[in-house]
Amino acid sequence: MLLLAPPGAGKGTQGKRLAEAYGVPHFATGDLLRAHVANGTRLGQQAKDYMDRGELVPDRVVIDTILPRLAGRDRPPGFVLDGFPRSLAQAEQSYQWGQAKGTTFHAVISLDVPEEELVRRLIERGKHSGRSDDNEETIRKRLAVFREETEPLLDFYRGRDILIEVDGMGPVDEVTNRIRSALDRIDLSQ
Ligand code: ADP
């Protein structure tokens, strides 16, 4: 399953909880990229400036980092993807790749949170996250990039009939329960 939501909506928090509940790995592209930056790898060096500006890292870099983890030799029984795909090119290439590998996304969870609440949460998080992109200017840029490049994916997955829209406001536990009861209604095994 995928979590498709703007920065600050709770993808990371809910992604971890869902992965634990279903006993599958949680792949957060942002975390993977930040680990590369921290370790000073070539990929991290390529990604850092884009991340600090609040822009998307080029599709090819992200695709090559994430897709091999989903269906390698140690293919997991399922997975929670958080922060990928984030552009139409990433979504289309994942779909083609999945077809070739005999795997597919079963559910795409979108978390709906008003923009001013997102900004408030991210500024609050920035006080202790140590993330160089959690400052107001970059936060606004990330939200604009979400609207322009990622939001169109909602229609892409709505068209494939796997989009689940959940209200992301309210206590964390309540949001988790909303997602889980929506997932209970679909078959994740096919
Ligand atoms: P948030 O959703 O709060 O912006 P993430 O940790 O998911 O935080 O992402 C942080 C940054 O990592 C993004 O602003 C972007 O630069 C980069 N990134 C993460 N996922 C992708 C992706 N799928 N494609 C391109 N860039 C990405």
Side-chain angles (χ1 to χ4, degrees):
M1 62 188 86
L2 317 180
L3 285 152
L4 182 56
K11 292 189 299 290
T13 307
Q14 299 298 336
K16 258 185 233 119
R17 288 171 160 235
L18 290 171
E20 223 162 84
Y22 289 90
V24 296
H26 172 223
F27 298 116
T29 25
D31 290 347
L32 291 172
L33 292 170
R34 277 186 292 278
H36 276 280
V37 172
N39 293 328
T41 66
R42 213 168 71 94
L43 193 140
Q45 286 165 12
Q46 286 174 333
K48 186 177 187 316
D49 290 345
Y50 293 98
M51 296 172 78
D52 284 346
R53 288 196 299 266
E55 293 170 9
L56 294 187
V57 172
D59 289 330
R60 178 55 39 217
V61 174
V62 180
I63 288 169
D64 289 348
T65 310
I66 195 75
L67 290 183
R69 293 172 181 252
L70 307 183
R73 231 177 330 128
D74 308 317
R75 178 190 197 124
F79 50 78
V80 175
L81 260 183
D82 144 9
F84 179 89
R86 229 160 157 130
S87 67
L88 263 180
Q90 291 176 19
E92 280 161 1
Q93 287 187 45
S94 309
Y95 183 66
Q96 282 164 12
W97 174 91
Q99 295 231 301
K101 297 279 180 188
T103 186
T104 188
F105 301 150
H106 286 95
V108 178
I109 299 144
S110 95
L111 297 172
D112 198 22
V113 176
E115 177 141 342
E116 280 323 299
E117 170 69 6
L118 297 172
V119 174
R120 196 193 63 74
R121 289 184 187 179
L122 290 166
I123 288 176
E124 192 54 37
R125 183 174 82 185
K127 292 180 188 158
H128 30 81
S129 69
R131 273 179 56 166
S132 49
D133 59 350
D134 279 345
N135 60 76
E136 183 153 2
E137 189 190 343
T138 313
I139 289 167
R140 301 250 176 224
K141 173 71 183 171
R142 282 153 62 205
L143 290 170
V145 168
F146 176 82
R147 275 195 304 272
E148 280 161 34
E149 305 202 41
T150 312
E151 215 161 48
L153 271 61
L154 294 176
D155 274 338
F156 180 85
Y157 292 115
R158 197 175 280 122
R160 289 186 44 209
D161 226 14
I162 53 173
L163 184 68
I164 298 174
E165 290 175 277
V166 174
D167 177 4
M169 289 294 279
V172 172
D173 280 344
E174 235 171 72
V175 177
T176 308
N177 289 340
R178 282 178 210 144
I179 299 173
R180 293 205 56 184
S181 58
L183 288 172
D184 282 345
R185 281 181 245 121
I186 61 170
D187 184 359
L188 293 169
S189 65
Q190 296 294 305

